[in-house]
Structure formats: structure tokens, C-alpha cells
Amino acid sequence: MTIAAIDVDPQRTFSPLCPDELPVPEGDLIAPELNAQAAFADLRVLTKDAHPANAVWVVDSHDKMLHPLSHPNADLTWVAHAIPGTLGFETIPGLPPVTDYDHVIWKGIEPNLHPYGACYHDLQEKLSTGLIEWLETKKVTTVIVGGLATDYCVKTTALQLQKSEKFNVIVNLAACRGISPDTTASGCDEMLKAGILITQQTDEIAQYLS
């Protein structure tokens, strides 16, 4: 059994360290649990949002966010975040350097694409990022997922991996934080219904690996 741990978008942009971007409460505190879940794995993957400042979905204030868009691969408005070269693009404190990961996925680079999951560049899930294929080449059978935010990129990444029917997928809530309690709860329900395993504490992962 080959196990991969995936750190989904654990970036400062999704933490109180960047309050003007998309701060997720306690988003800067999950590094110890991400490191702990990686100890169960043979391989460690990092995914990062990498958005241009001129993206079609960018608005200039938080009160203009979450409005629907007609673009086929950008569904909602968001303030600018995770722009390469800025503080928000960097990972949260306590994580390894990017070069210490076994594989890295950068997503959302095109100005008219705003994917949530790490497996596809587009919302229609036609253009692969190569993550599923890379995991296959490494003969991965189980994937442990944590990161930011539970109710958006973590959920979507986990569902994409589960939908591929190639892996056992575990979402470790101890290594995640969500934007909203309501959407986090509904996201967890959606993942459970899809057959994804969910742990509340990192040490619970062991029972699914025996």
C-alpha cells in the first residue's frame, strides 16, 4: 500500500496573516497537523493557488464577493488573492520548503480559470492538472487530504479524487479549517455521502491504514 498526503492550498492568503485577502479562521495553525498526517504517508503533495491580479473574477472589496459570474470556468467573484510573488502566495509557517515535496500542483494561473479542486484546471473537469495521473504512476492506493479551506478546495479536491475511483480518500479535519460552519458541515456531509472517510483527529488515520 502506497500512501500520499496532500496539503491543499495551505497558503497565507487563506489565513489571518493576510486579513485583506481570504482569511480563514485559524488557517495559519494547521501546519503541525499537516506535518503529522504526512508522517503516515510515503509521498507528500502540495497544491497552491496561483492567481493573476487581472483575473476575470477579481473584485475590489469583500462586500462584492460571491456574486455569480457567467464565465464557464469562473463561477463567483472573489477579492484578489494568492498572487505569485506576494506574501499571500507563500505557504503558512511551519511547512517544508516547496522543494521538499514530492509533487506540486499550481492552479488557477489563467485569468479566466478559477478551479477549486486540485485535479482539474477547469470547472467542467475536462483539463487535468496531472495529479490523478501522477498518483497512479506512483501506485498510490490511499490519499490523506488536509488544507484550506474545508468547504471549498479541500472538499472539491477530495471529491475529484474519490470520483476517479482509483484511491481510498481520507479527509483529516484536524488539518483543515473552513470558511463557514454551515458550508463546512454541508461539505462534510457531501464528502461522506460520496464514500470519503473523515477523521476528526490525525491519530485516527491509523485505523484506516491497518
Side-chain angles (χ1 to χ4, degrees), residues 124-206:
Q124 282 77 28
E125 300 187 352
K126 296 178 180 178
L127 183 59
S128 175
T129 64
L131 177 57
I132 291 172
E133 293 81 358
W134 183 84
L135 294 169
E136 282 189 281
T137 66
K138 298 298 183 181
K139 297 181 169 42
V140 170
T141 54
T142 298
V143 180
I144 306 166
V145 183
L148 302 169
T150 316
D151 34 355
Y152 283 90
C153 296
V154 170
K155 178 191 77 171
T156 307
T157 298
L159 288 171
Q160 289 174 344
L161 291 165
Q162 181 75 2
K163 186 179 178 181
S164 76
E165 299 183 344
K166 300 178 186 299
F167 318 104
N168 298 315
V169 181
I170 302 169
V171 170
N172 177 29
L173 293 183
C176 302
R177 293 294 187 275
I179 293 176
S180 157
D182 289 342
T183 53
T184 297
S186 63
C188 288
D189 287 343
E190 189 176 352
M191 289 188 283
L192 286 169
K193 289 176 181 176
I196 293 168
L197 303 169
I198 294 181
T199 63
Q200 299 291 332
Q201 302 296 329
T202 302
D203 56 10
E204 294 174 10
I205 293 171

Side-chain angles (χ1 to χ4, degrees), residues 39-116:
F40 288 101
D42 305 289
L43 300 164
R44 190 171 186 180
V45 177
L46 173 68
T47 80
K48 295 183 76 176
D49 273 0
H51 298 314
N54 65 337
V56 297
W57 43 264
V58 169
V59 290
D60 58 12
S61 61
H62 286 83
D63 62 308
K64 297 178 182 177
M65 288 199 326
L66 302 177
H67 292 292
L69 292 171
S70 59
H71 296 282
N73 287 298
D75 61 345
L76 297 171
T77 56
W78 300 92
V79 295
H81 60 279
I83 300 171
T86 67
L87 180 67
F89 181 69
E90 299 176 11
T91 54
I92 59 174
L95 293 179
V98 170
T99 49
D100 283 359
Y101 284 85
D102 297 291
H103 193 56
V104 181
I105 295 289
W106 290 272
K107 57 193 180 76
I109 297 171
E110 300 289 340
N112 60 344
L113 301 181
H114 189 261
Y116 300 103

